[in-house]
């Protein structure tokens, strides 16, 4: 406990009395206070440092200085690591050859993050699952590595890019100020979410609205493209209401339904299996609102500053989900493992897809899960979760390809399939992420052994029995099997879609 107190007090102790009154760790109180301050600063930034009133240089400077102040308030001198990590990587970008710069940058940035995680976990406060200085470094790692790949794409691979890569490609080396502003701005320094450099630069320069107006056909009114700047007020208020509900839910339930109670010897011996399953689902359900609160508040901060506009809905209302990190209803009602992951921590999933899955020549699924585990940290539970996740993903894909077609014969069959797959998905997700919460090997294996590793064995059986083609192979065969004229039409379709930057890629 002493080490935890020391680690917590590396930031400001100004809010210590409030921390004691509400019985929450000081670092968490500092985090929430800084995010609320950032929300107020975001409103001020949009109104008084609007691109029409000041230069991009001033906006970059103010965003960076405010971000560094928040980092210093929350993490004290540990926040120097943010500058060291950014500085080392920028040096690699400047001095390394363009052909290999992205690889060196990836190794240096991720390596420095892992070094800091090892130091924090095994030297300072193992098992203290609270706010820590490596959290912001995880987002900075995403931004730096994404930028390195996008610079290489923009300067050396112009004719070899997919449409989404063309949209993200950076055509010139950012200045040091632009680079620091992108990594350390006050809107995303504490909780992200990550975003593309081009989108951030367009926001700073005030061109993001015109960009979306031109790209989005639904932004038309009476045959003319809307030119007025949409207000984020409604989106921000809605997201703050979501934050309030999420925080209240989490504080009300997380002590009543602790995950580690699922491995209590008395509970395991005396509780029927079906009730153990129900308890596990409820415990995970009570844990998720913490993430809903943090990520939705971060999204609201960016929106309040004017960042996150993503065109218009079919009814003409503005969408502010360009960098949203989750879709709560889609998570809670997901009917497949993939759907759950696609809507959870969206920006991290997109980062993994862009820097690993799309570029890894051998077994991209396993490589992506491994990178995700390394990025999250050095607790053994993370690796157990992601190894389990590989099996779950493969099994879910096999079931979908082989069994789902039999349920598409009628609406009633489809509804039955959706209910069954929803229940299976929720149990599978809960089972998979237990080590992620328990962190250590011993408790994690104790949980899995209390369930007799049943879902591991079931996944193995499904993968062995049900055939399934890899997505890349299936896409290749479909492409090769198209008639020549259809193939040309397909290429034209994809080209048109990506010139507008495929909505799925734009929103993340």
């Amino acid at each position: 406990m002493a080490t935890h107190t020391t680690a917590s007090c590396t930031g400001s102790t100004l809010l210590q009395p409030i921390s004691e009154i509400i019985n929450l760790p000081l670092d968490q109180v500092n985090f929430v206070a800084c995010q609320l301050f950032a929300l107020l600063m975001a409103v001020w930034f949009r109104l008084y440092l609007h691109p029409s009133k000041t230069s991009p240089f001033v906006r970059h400077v103010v965003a960076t200085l405010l971000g560094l102040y928040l980092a210093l308030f929350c993490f004290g001198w540990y926040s120097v690591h943010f500058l060291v990590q950014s500085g080392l990587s920028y040096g690699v970008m400047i001095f390394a050859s363009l052909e290999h710069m992205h690889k060196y940058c990836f190794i240096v940035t991720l390596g420095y993050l892992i070094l800091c995680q090892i130091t924090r976990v095994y030297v300072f406060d193992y098992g203290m699952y609270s706010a820590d200085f490596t959290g912001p470094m995880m987002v900075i790692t995403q931004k730096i590595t994404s930028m390195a790949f996008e610079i290489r794409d923009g300067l050396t691979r112009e004719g070899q890019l997919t449409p989404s890569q063309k949209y993200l490609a950076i055509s010139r080396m950012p200045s040091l100020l632009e680079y620091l502003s992108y990594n350390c701005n006050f809107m995303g320094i504490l909780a992200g979410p990550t975003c593309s450099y081009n989108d951030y630069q367009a926001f700073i320069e005030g061109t993001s609205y015109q960009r979306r107006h031109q790209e989005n056909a639904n932004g038309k009114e009476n045959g003319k493209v809307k030119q007025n700047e949409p207000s984020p007020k409604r989106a921000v208020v809605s997201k703050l209401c979501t934050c309030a509900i999420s925080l209240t839910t989490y504080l009300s339930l997380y002590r009543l339904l602790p995950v580690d109670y699922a491995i209590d010897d008395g509970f395991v011996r005396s509780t029927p299996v079906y009730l153990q399953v129900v308890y596990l689902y409820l415990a995970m359900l009570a844990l998720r609102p913490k993430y809903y609160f943090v990520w939705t508040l971060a999204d609201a901060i960016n929106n309040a500053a004017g960042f996150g506009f993503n065109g218009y809905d079919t009814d003409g209302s503005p969408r502010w989900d360009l960098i949203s990190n989750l879709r709560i209803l889609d998570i809670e009602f997901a009917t497949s493992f993939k759907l759950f992951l696609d809507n959870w921590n969206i920006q991290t999933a997109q980062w993994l897809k862009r820097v690993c899955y799309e570029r890894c020549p051998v077994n991209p699924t396993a490589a992506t899960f491994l990178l995700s585990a390394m990025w999250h940290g050095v607790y053994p539970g993370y690796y157990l979760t992601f190894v389990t996740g590989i099996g779950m993903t493969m099994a879910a894909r096999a079931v979908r390809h082989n069994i789902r077609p039999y349920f598409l014969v009628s609406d009633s069959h489809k509804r039955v399939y959706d209910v069954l797959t929803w229940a299976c998905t929720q149990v599978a997700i809960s089972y998979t992420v237990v080590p992620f919460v328990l962190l250590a090997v011993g408790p994690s294996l104790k949980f899995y052994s209390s369930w007799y590793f049943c879902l591991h064995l079931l996944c193995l059986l499904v993968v062995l029995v049900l055939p399934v083609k890899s997505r890349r192979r299936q896409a290749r065969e479909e492409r090769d099997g198209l008639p020549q004229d259809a193939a040309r039409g397909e290429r034209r379709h994809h080209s048109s879609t990506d010139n507008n930057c495929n909505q799925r890629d734009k929103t993340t």
Side-chain angles (χ1 to χ4, degrees):
M1 183 64 70
T3 55
H4 177 53
T5 303
T6 302
S8 295
C9 291
T10 53
S12 172
T13 58
L14 180 65
L15 302 179
Q16 182 71 48
I18 296 177
S19 171
E20 294 172 354
I21 291 172
I22 63 178
N23 193 28
L24 284 175
L26 177 60
D27 52 3
Q28 294 184 11
V29 173
N30 282 348
F31 170 82
V32 174
C34 282
Q35 287 293 75
L36 294 177
F37 175 75
L39 180 66
L40 296 177
M41 288 297 98
V43 175
W44 171 81
F45 191 83
R46 181 171 61 88
L47 296 178
Y48 295 98
L49 292 183
H50 191 274
S52 63
K53 299 178 181 179
T54 189
S55 67
F57 175 82
V58 172
R59 282 166 64 84
H60 276 307
V61 169
V62 172
T64 305
L65 292 179
L66 281 173
L68 294 176
Y69 170 74
L70 294 179
L72 192 64
F73 188 92
C74 273
F75 306 108
W77 292 111
Y78 281 130
S79 54
V80 171
H81 286 292
F82 307 164
L83 295 178
V84 173
Q85 184 187 35
S86 299
L88 289 173
S89 301
Y90 193 70
V92 172
M93 290 181 184
I94 295 296
F95 296 109
S97 66
L98 280 174
E99 187 61 31
H100 302 290
M101 173 267 292
H102 61 296
K103 301 174 187 175
Y104 300 149
C105 212
F106 183 88
I107 293 170
V108 169
T109 307
L110 186 63
Y112 193 82
L113 170 66
I114 293 173
L115 179 64
C116 289
Q117 289 172 330
I118 291 173
T119 303
R120 186 189 74 82
V121 170
Y122 293 106
V123 175
F124 294 113
D125 60 348
Y126 186 95
M128 295 299 178
Y129 201 73
S130 187
D132 70 89
F133 72 94
T134 60
M137 290 180 68
M138 294 166 70
V139 179
I140 293 174
T141 297
Q142 290 181 340
K143 291 183 175 181
I144 293 173
T145 52
S146 296
M147 177 184 282
F149 278 93
E150 289 158 11
I151 290 173
R152 189 224 179 197
D153 288 344
L155 297 182
T156 68
R157 299 180 64 237
E158 189 173 349
Q160 310 168 42
L161 304 178
T162 66
S164 62
Q165 289 171 348
K166 288 179 183 177
Y167 176 83
L168 298 168
I170 299 172
S171 57
R172 66 171 180 85
M173 184 68 70
S175 69
L176 181 60
L177 175 61
E178 291 169 337
Y179 174 81
L180 288 176
S181 175
Y182 173 59
N183 287 335
C184 301
N185 66 80
F186 74 97
M187 301 172 295
I189 184 68
L190 298 183
T194 191
C195 60
S196 80
Y197 173 78
N198 285 340
D199 284 333
Y200 179 75
Q201 190 68 9
F203 155 71
I204 289 293
E205 294 174 351
T207 60
S208 57
Y209 296 110
Q210 295 91 323
R211 205 176 186 185
R212 291 295 182 270
H213 285 315
Q214 293 167 3
E215 291 169 355
N216 198 308
N218 292 326
K220 293 184 178 179
E221 200 171 66
N222 299 325
K224 297 181 180 179
V225 178
K226 292 182 181 179
Q227 293 298 325
N228 60 307
E229 186 175 301
S231 170
K233 180 179 176 181
R234 179 176 295 180
V236 171
V237 170
S238 173
K239 289 173 183 179
L240 291 178
C241 290
T242 301
C243 288
I245 295 171
S246 299
L247 184 61
T248 302
T249 302
Y250 173 70
L251 293 177
S252 301
L253 296 179
Y254 85 102
R255 286 194 177 101
L256 296 176
L257 297 164
V259 175
D260 54 6
Y261 187 62
I263 60 172
D264 179 78
D265 292 332
F267 174 78
V268 172
R269 282 196 306 269
S270 62
T271 307
V273 171
Y274 74 92
L275 288 181
Q276 291 186 44
V277 173
V278 171
Y279 179 85
L280 180 65
Y281 166 69
L282 293 177
M284 291 302 173
L285 187 66
L287 192 63
R288 287 198 285 270
K290 175 176 69 173
Y291 299 95
Y292 297 163
F293 168 75
V294 171
W295 288 335
T296 305
L297 179 57
D299 196 16
I301 292 168
N302 281 273
N303 293 168
F307 186 29
F309 175 65
N310 196 29
Y312 294 90
D313 278 326
T314 52
D315 62 359
S317 57
R319 291 207 329 271
W320 289 87
D321 60 355
L322 178 68
I323 55 173
S324 294
N325 222 4
L326 76 170
R327 303 182 187 96
I328 296 176
L329 292 180
D330 290 336
I331 289 169
E332 298 301 342
F333 294 101
T335 55
S336 74
F337 205 84
K338 181 182 182 299
L339 275 179
F340 188 102
L341 297 180
D342 283 347
N343 293 289
W344 173 270
N345 205 352
I346 295 169
Q347 302 308 319
T348 294
Q350 286 297 314
W351 170 70
L352 291 167
K353 173 187 172 186
R354 290 166 183 165
V355 305
C356 184
Y357 189 86
E358 290 182 342
R359 302 176 191 264
C360 183
V362 180
N363 203 339
T365 298
T368 301
F369 273 105
L370 176 61
L371 173 58
S372 183
M374 293 172 65
W375 174 79
H376 273 91
V378 293
Y379 286 114
Y382 295 160
Y383 292 84
L384 286 173
T385 285
F386 290 112
V387 168
T388 303
I390 295 172
M392 292 288 182
T393 301
M394 294 173 65
R397 191 179 299 166
V399 169
R400 181 176 178 83
H401 285 200
N402 290 276
I403 295 178
R404 184 172 181 267
Y406 295 103
F407 287 86
L408 299 181
V409 294
S410 69
D411 290 341
S412 59
H413 285 68
K414 178 65 167 56
R415 282 193 289 271
V416 170
Y417 177 83
D418 288 342
V419 171
L420 291 175
T421 52
W422 171 83
C424 292
T425 297
Q426 297 303 320
V427 173
I429 287 289
S430 301
Y431 178 91
T432 300
V433 302
V434 166
F436 194 96
V437 178
L438 298 180
L439 302 178
V441 173
S444 300
L445 293 181
K446 183 178 180 182
F447 168 76
Y448 281 148
S449 62
S450 72
W451 281 52
Y452 302 101
F453 292 88
C454 60
L455 295 192
H456 287 86
L457 297 175
L458 180 61
C459 287
L460 179 61
L461 179 63
V462 167
V463 170
L464 292 176
V465 171
L466 297 179
V468 61
K469 298 175 183 176
S470 72
R471 295 190 173 190
R472 289 186 177 182
R473 181 182 170 190
Q474 186 178 13
R476 193 184 310 119
E477 289 180 355
E478 289 176 354
R479 185 171 62 250
D480 294 343
L482 285 172
Q484 192 171 0
D485 291 341
R488 279 199 294 268
E490 188 75 6
R491 282 196 295 271
R492 283 197 300 271
H493 169 74
H494 284 301
S495 175
S496 171
T497 300
D498 273 335
N499 283 338
N500 293 308
C501 194
N502 188 319
Q503 189 60 49
R504 175 69 179 163
D505 284 321
K506 284 199 304 179
T507 56
T508 53

